[in-house]
Amino acid sequence: MLALPVLSNSEKKCFQSCKRKHYIRYRLLKRPLLATAPQRFGSLVHKGLEAWGRAARVGEDRLAAAFDAVRAETFVEPIDLVRAEELLTAYDARWADEAVEMLDVEVEFETPIVNPETGAVSRTFVLGGKIDGVARLADGRVVIVEYKTSSEDISGGSDYWKRLRLDSQVSDYFVGARALGFDVEGCLYDVIGKPKLQLLEATPVEKRQYKKDGSLYASQRDRDETLDEYRARLRAHIAENLERYYQRGFVVRLEEDERDAAFDTWQTAREVRDADRLERHPRNPNACVQWGTTCEFFAVCAREADLDDPTRYRTAKSPHEELSAPAPREVAA
């Protein structure tokens, strides 16, 4: 009998957002040829943090490892590389002395999906994913480590942190870490604010205004800002606004929280199974634009593009490209 296919947190969220998008991404395996700019930048910083954590685990130069990782990435805009390097530099300065011992990094897991009421085990999917890290704190507690970048307000008490009380990813990672034998007691949630500073451009000639001494007013420029100048300005801005850029919280799950999350996963797995069995994948127009970003498949649903267009879409090798060993699909009736 073939191994059961993985149902990841990303797939669950995609299905809950729009069943048609889920069908396109996880059944047809179609993906946009190029990720959005925010996605690309988030992935770039995450690569650096992953390398930072691996180096910390073995006692090597953390910042050098992080720089090597981001500089090895291809098709990166020069300004994004500057932003990533400055964020990682300040991250290293902000948290390097914290007593956090990395036990493992980028940890994959697979574990049964269990109905918390009956104890029944799903015969359709297993829960799978990849945890950013597992660490031991100074007081001996073992915790999950999760890295995020965000353009939202990440200050303490903001909606960003309140929403984590319901976040399914954290709940899944508790289950996954325990399945791997880690007796975790919480999640160290590390958030980095994305820089909003833009590269300054020269003031158009027709809009320039000069003082009596012939110099431009302070808000105007006679040339574009260089990357080195931008780097220095960003570095100063980060140093002056550390709380805006770096927040670390401790997220826990009570017994009733884990029970609710288990029901959510069980029910979502059943709904995915039914959609596959019935071959019905309805669209959700309310999900076409979220967080100011248009769905990558909107043009397809609007009949303005074709999924077979190689200039816009590619075919993934597996439903979960982030996992190293995807299982073959077998869906029970």
Side-chain angles (χ1 to χ4, degrees), residues 46-241:
H46 195 279
K47 287 284 186 182
L49 292 171
E50 176 187 341
W52 191 93
R54 290 189 187 281
R57 186 180 177 218
V58 297
E60 295 180 350
D61 189 321
R62 295 164 291 206
L63 190 55
F67 275 24
D68 287 344
V70 297
R71 291 171 180 172
E73 290 296 294
T74 55
F75 307 112
V76 177
E77 293 291 337
I79 191 171
D80 282 341
L81 185 59
V82 168
R83 287 169 174 157
E85 288 179 348
E86 290 306 310
L87 285 177
L88 290 166
T89 297
Y91 178 91
D92 182 69
R94 177 71 180 86
W95 300 120
D97 293 333
E98 293 289 315
V100 177
E101 176 191 357
M102 296 301 298
L103 302 177
D104 211 340
V105 178
E106 294 295 303
V107 196
E108 293 191 18
F109 68 88
E110 285 188 14
T111 189
I113 294 175
V114 180
N115 184 321
E117 186 172 49
T118 67
V121 176
S122 173
R123 295 179 295 169
T124 310
F125 300 105
V126 292
L127 182 66
K130 182 185 288 185
I131 303 169
D132 288 345
V134 179
R136 180 180 289 111
L137 304 183
D139 59 10
R141 287 179 297 171
V142 175
V143 298
I144 300 160
V145 177
E146 179 65 12
Y147 300 120
K148 291 293 182 186
T149 55
S150 179
S151 297
E152 295 182 60
D153 173 13
I154 62 172
S155 60
S158 65
D159 288 344
Y160 185 96
W161 291 100
K162 293 176 182 177
R163 195 168 62 244
L164 290 180
R165 299 171 186 170
L166 307 175
D167 186 76
S168 59
Q169 185 179 49
V170 173
S171 300
D172 287 352
Y173 286 178
F174 270 77
V175 176
R178 288 169 183 159
L180 293 170
F182 294 106
D183 187 17
V184 294
E185 298 184 50
C187 175
L188 194 68
Y189 209 89
D190 231 344
V191 191
I192 297 179
K194 293 182 179 179
K196 296 181 180 179
L197 296 184
Q198 300 298 315
L199 200 64
L200 298 177
E201 298 179 345
T203 306
V205 175
E206 66 276 11
K207 294 184 178 180
R208 293 179 186 177
Q209 295 180 331
Y210 296 88
K211 301 176 185 177
K212 290 182 179 180
D213 62 3
S215 62
L216 285 169
Y217 281 94
S219 61
Q220 299 191 329
R221 301 179 59 87
D222 60 1
R223 61 180 177 80
D224 293 341
E225 185 177 34
T226 67
L227 282 177
D228 285 342
E229 290 170 337
Y230 175 79
R231 182 189 293 274
R233 185 163 61 91
L234 177 60
R235 181 175 297 177
H237 193 266
I238 292 173
E240 294 167 3
N241 298 276

Side-chain angles (χ1 to χ4, degrees), residues 3-23:
L4 294 179
V6 164
L7 184 65
S8 70
N9 181 72
S10 295
E11 182 178 354
K12 287 192 298 175
K13 286 185 175 180
C14 182
F15 182 84
Q16 291 162 352
S17 172
C18 178
K19 296 175 177 59
R20 181 65 57 87
K21 181 178 180 179
H22 172 266
Y23 172 69

Side-chain angles (χ1 to χ4, degrees), residues 18 20-21 24 283-284 288 295 297-305 307 313:
C18 178
R20 181 65 57 87
K21 181 178 180 179
I24 294 172
R283 299 166 295 175
N284 176 18
C288 293
C295 173
F297 302 115
F298 175 76
V300 174
C301 293
R303 307 193 192 286
E304 296 173 351
L307 282 171
Y313 302 106

